[in-house]
Amino acid sequence: MENKEDKASKLCDDHKTEGIKYRGIRAMPFIIGNETFEKIGTLGTISNLLVYLTTVFNMKSITAATTINIFQGTSNMAPLLGAFLSDTYFGRYKTLAFASIASFLGMAVLTLTAAIYKLHPPKCSTSDIGTCVGPTTGQLAFLVSGFGFLVIGAGGIRPCNLAFGADQFDPATESGQKGINSFFNWYYFTFTFGVLVSVTVVVYVQSSVSWAIGLGIPAGLMVLSCILFFMGSRIYVKVKPEGSPLARVAQVLVAATKKRHLQLPDDEPRQLSLFNYMPDDSINSKLPHTDQFRFLDKSAILTPEDQINSDGSAANAWKLCSIQQVEEVKCLARVIPVWASSIIFLTSLVQQNTYVVFQVLQSDRGLGSGGFKVPAASYTVFQMLSLTLWIPLYDRVLVPSLRRLTGKQGGITLLQRMGIGIIFSLITMLLSGLVEKQRRNLALTRPTLGIAPKGGAISSMSGWWLVPQLFLTGICEGFNCIGQIEFYYKQFPENMRSIAGSFFFLGLAGSSYLSGFLVSIVHHITSRTEAGDWLPEDLNKGKLDYFYYLIAALGFINFVYFLVCAKWYKYKAVDETIELSATGEKQTEKLIV
């Protein structure tokens, strides 16, 4: 008969392993609650920033879109620095604590820009669109300082929150493995729920009641987020930083370069002839030797000049690296080409949060006969709703069905899941182009419904026609984005998990910068042609559908590239054992994807 401790271990993973007491599910309300309030507080505001900048700060559409792309790109680039600082110096707990406070300060500054009239330009009516007064240098500087605090907050929260939650489970137990695997899907579920509330209730208050109140609510929620996070401090597992994992990567590259003229041994298995040392206290799994990136193996060639310490480690890690350290670097090197494919994929998702808002502003947003108009930024709720419905459907219905067909625990591999997401993104952009063409044609050939807040006639096409593409975007995220997060977490060495958490956001950063570049270059080139600007202030005078088709074409090329990477990729394996995949699936070192 099982004793009570065994039962507790299986139910909540609340037990000690090597002196660490894992709380498992007990810590989840504090971590996920912090994440939920943080997302309600920040993402809803960010989704409505485009409207805020064009209506309150009187920015032109191109300027506002470029500003948002730069801000989001920087916010998504910052997690790489945050992950480095977390893994090297501060640990995930302290990083999250500092970042949560920074996010609150950022929201407080944005609230002040709306509440104090001297911190934003005078209001501009639709009849004065061409003569609106723009923001002063001081007003812009104060606004940018708020963005700066939000960037700092994103830099700490995004790479650490997911990994910090996974730290609460013991990966050495079956219950811990199941807890981690389930945590990824349900973490994203609660995150999406938070965004749903944000882009409906908060956005409505901002757009229809008051920007000051609408921005003040997220600031208050950020206070709750901080309080909830600190309330769980006594029960968290706080993994101490082990030093910079990027330094270990640099050591392999430097040592391999220094020994580039040496010949690798011909005997098999080759790893028996190379320096093979692994510290007893290492948190990383023992990795088997692989033949990819063989030139890196030269860093593990032991020469007469190399000296060994009494504990078996290399005296100079910049001249001699262990084969374990080399394989850890290979894990990173294998992931990078796959990660590169995410940039163009995510570019298609970025459009659903920028130019779709402008489309909605020039569409019929009426709901019912009472004159109520749905806020433009609230249409992204359908993207979140789609994802919220899709996750449990995929986890509870589709995966079991696929498991029976394929015999795999997760139904399909992570790379297959990501590839399906890319296919859905192509369909989404093609559909977006067709809908925009119809919206513009109705605006030019049928009676219009007035003038949009930023100028341009409002098409008689209902904004509901934009909902299908937003639903498809949610499914894209359900396949590719969640697949990416699991993929990075499982394929990176254990000491790089904060960096793994930042990789998804690094892809988002690349997509935001790429989107901003495409918007600027397309606007610059097409504005000089006889056909006219594709992306003017008034979408009825442009060719936004052509821009969507351009992204779809880039997406198809990217899909071909992804297939090549997926065929070439070798999943991370554990030496002399069988690896558990991101969905609990047992796999050998080589998988067919």
Side-chain angles (χ1 to χ4, degrees):
M1 179 180 294
E2 295 178 322
N3 58 36
K4 293 181 179 180
E5 290 182 0
D6 292 334
K7 289 181 179 180
S9 174
K10 289 185 177 181
L11 289 174
C12 68
D13 202 32
D14 184 4
H15 64 288
K16 291 186 178 181
T17 298
E18 297 182 356
I20 299 175
K21 189 171 185 178
Y22 291 92
R23 298 290 185 174
I25 294 174
R26 287 189 182 183
M28 289 305 100
F30 302 103
I31 295 173
I32 292 182
N34 164 259
E35 172 73 7
T36 302
F37 282 123
E38 189 268 335
K39 288 298 177 286
I40 294 176
T42 59
L43 287 190
T45 299
I46 291 172
S47 69
N48 211 21
L49 272 181
L50 205 59
V51 178
Y52 185 64
L53 294 181
T54 54
T55 58
V56 177
F57 271 75
N58 300 336
M59 291 186 183
K60 293 185 180 296
S61 298
I62 291 291
T63 304
T66 303
T67 301
I68 294 298
N69 281 325
I70 293 173
F71 166 65
Q72 291 183 335
T74 307
S75 296
N76 290 315
M77 187 75 73
L80 186 62
L81 177 60
F84 170 77
L85 295 175
S86 171
D87 285 343
T88 307
Y89 301 108
F90 306 118
R92 286 187 268 273
Y93 172 76
K94 291 182 179 179
T95 303
L96 281 170
F98 179 79
S100 296
I101 295 173
S103 289
F104 160 69
L105 293 175
M107 290 307 308
V109 169
L110 288 185
T111 302
L112 292 176
T113 64
I116 301 176
Y117 73 93
K118 288 186 177 181
L119 295 179
H120 61 258
K123 186 176 181 179
C124 184
S125 63
T126 55
S127 59
D128 300 324
I129 291 294
T131 59
C132 290
V133 178
T136 65
T137 302
Q139 290 168 345
L140 275 178
F142 195 73
L143 176 69
V144 170
S145 71
F147 288 164
F149 281 119
L150 289 175
V151 167
I152 293 172
I157 292 173
R158 294 180 181 179
C160 295
N161 214 347
L162 193 62
F164 186 67
D167 286 342
Q168 310 310 308
F169 296 91
D170 184 1
T173 65
E174 182 179 354
S175 59
Q177 287 279 354
K178 290 180 179 179
I180 292 173
N181 293 332
S182 180
F183 174 64
F184 284 110
N185 275 340
W186 294 105
Y187 172 95
Y188 214 88
F189 176 84
T190 56
F191 152 77
T192 305
F193 172 77
V195 178
L196 277 173
V197 175
S198 187
V199 299
T200 51
V201 178
V202 175
V203 166
Y204 173 76
V205 174
Q206 290 172 348
S207 302
S208 304
V209 180
S210 165
W211 278 104
I213 297 174
L215 291 172
I217 291 174
L221 290 174
M222 277 307 307
V223 175
L224 292 178
S225 175
C226 294
I227 293 173
L228 197 59
F229 177 75
F230 288 116
M231 283 176 61
S233 297
R234 295 182 63 183
I235 67 172
Y236 294 147
V237 172
K238 302 170 185 175
V239 179
K240 294 182 179 180
E242 290 194 335
S244 172
L246 295 181
R248 290 171 58 83
V249 173
Q251 287 167 355
V252 171
L253 298 177
V254 170
T257 302
K258 289 180 178 179
K259 297 182 176 180
R260 63 188 180 277
H261 299 301
L262 299 180
Q263 294 295 320
L264 288 169
D266 295 328
D267 54 318
E268 294 293 342
R270 183 178 298 111
Q271 66 267 29
L272 297 179
S273 303
L274 298 173
F275 181 57
N276 196 0
Y277 167 78
M278 186 171 181
D280 293 334
D281 59 350
S282 175
I283 64 173
N284 289 350
S285 302
K286 179 70 174 177
L287 300 175
H289 179 260
T290 59
D291 288 330
Q292 289 180 320
F293 305 106
R294 291 181 59 190
F295 66 95
L296 294 177
D297 292 348
K298 293 185 177 184
S299 64
I301 296 177
L302 189 60
T303 65
E305 291 78 18
D306 293 319
Q307 297 180 0
I308 306 298
N309 294 324
S310 58
D311 62 354
S313 62
N316 189 337
W318 295 93
K319 292 184 178 180
L320 178 64
C321 303
S322 69
I323 195 64
Q324 167 71 17
Q325 187 176 347
V326 172
E327 289 302 325
E328 292 170 8
V329 175
K330 288 183 180 181
C331 288
L332 176 61
R334 278 191 289 265
V335 166
I336 289 176
V338 177
W339 165 82
S341 69
S342 70
I343 296 177
I344 293 180
F345 161 76
L346 291 169
T347 300
S348 65
L349 271 60
V350 169
Q351 309 315 312
Q352 306 304 319
N353 294 307
T354 51
Y355 269 97
V356 166
V357 175
F358 291 142
Q359 287 178 271
V360 172
L361 288 173
Q362 290 191 243
S363 301
D364 182 6
R365 294 183 284 136
L367 183 64
S369 57
F372 176 78
K373 291 185 178 181
V374 180
S378 290
Y379 274 78
T380 56
V381 72
F382 296 106
Q383 178 180 335
M384 298 297 104
L385 181 62
S386 171
L387 181 58
T388 303
L389 296 174
W390 175 253
I391 289 174
L393 178 66
Y394 178 83
D395 194 45
R396 302 300 181 186
V397 179
L398 190 58
V399 168
S401 300
L402 290 172
R403 185 184 298 132
R404 288 192 292 269
L405 291 175
T406 63
K408 299 176 179 179
Q409 184 66 24
I412 55 177
T413 66
L414 288 175
L415 289 176
Q416 287 172 338
R417 183 174 180 175
M418 291 162 63
I420 293 172
I422 294 177
I423 293 174
F424 271 103
S425 72
L426 299 179
I427 299 173
T428 300
M429 294 315 300
L430 292 174
L431 177 61
S432 299
L434 293 174
V435 171
E436 168 57 18
K437 182 179 180 181
Q438 178 67 8
R439 188 208 61 78
R440 187 179 66 246
N441 286 342
L442 289 177
L444 297 177
T445 60
R446 302 282 181 88
T448 57
L449 306 179
I451 303 299
K454 69 181 189 63
I458 299 175
S459 171
S460 60
M461 187 192 84
S462 171
W464 293 104
W465 283 103
L466 295 164
V467 171
Q469 69 194 57
L470 293 170
F471 256 89
L472 283 176
T473 302
I475 295 176
C476 291
E477 289 191 48
F479 274 108
N480 190 285
C481 295
I482 297 179
Q484 275 193 67
I485 293 171
E486 293 187 13
F487 178 75
Y488 300 142
Y489 183 85
K490 294 295 181 178
Q491 297 304 306
F492 271 64
E494 287 81 350
N495 66 330
M496 292 188 188
R497 280 180 174 166
S498 292
I499 293 178
S502 71
F503 248 54
F504 173 71
F505 297 105
L506 193 60
L508 278 173
S511 67
S512 295
Y513 290 133
L514 177 60
S515 179
F517 172 76
L518 288 175
V519 167
S520 298
I521 200 70
V522 168
H523 172 68
H524 179 74
I525 293 175
T526 59
S527 61
R528 299 183 177 184
T529 63
E530 293 183 2
D533 189 358
W534 286 9
L535 305 173
E537 287 292 299
D538 182 0
L539 295 183
N540 300 329
K541 299 178 181 179
K543 292 289 191 296
L544 179 59
D545 50 332
Y546 288 5
F547 182 64
Y548 287 155
Y549 295 146
L550 172 64
I551 294 177
L554 293 174
F556 177 77
I557 297 172
N558 182 60
F559 179 62
V560 175
Y561 166 77
F562 174 81
L563 291 178
V564 174
C565 293
K567 184 68 175 177
W568 165 83
Y569 189 81
K570 286 185 178 181
Y571 282 85
K572 171 187 167 186
V574 179
D575 197 15
E576 298 180 353
T577 62
I578 297 178
E579 175 197 22
L580 284 171
S581 77
T583 51
E585 170 189 356
K586 290 184 178 180
Q587 305 176 56
T588 57
E589 178 185 351
K590 185 176 182 180
L591 297 180
I592 299 175
V593 295

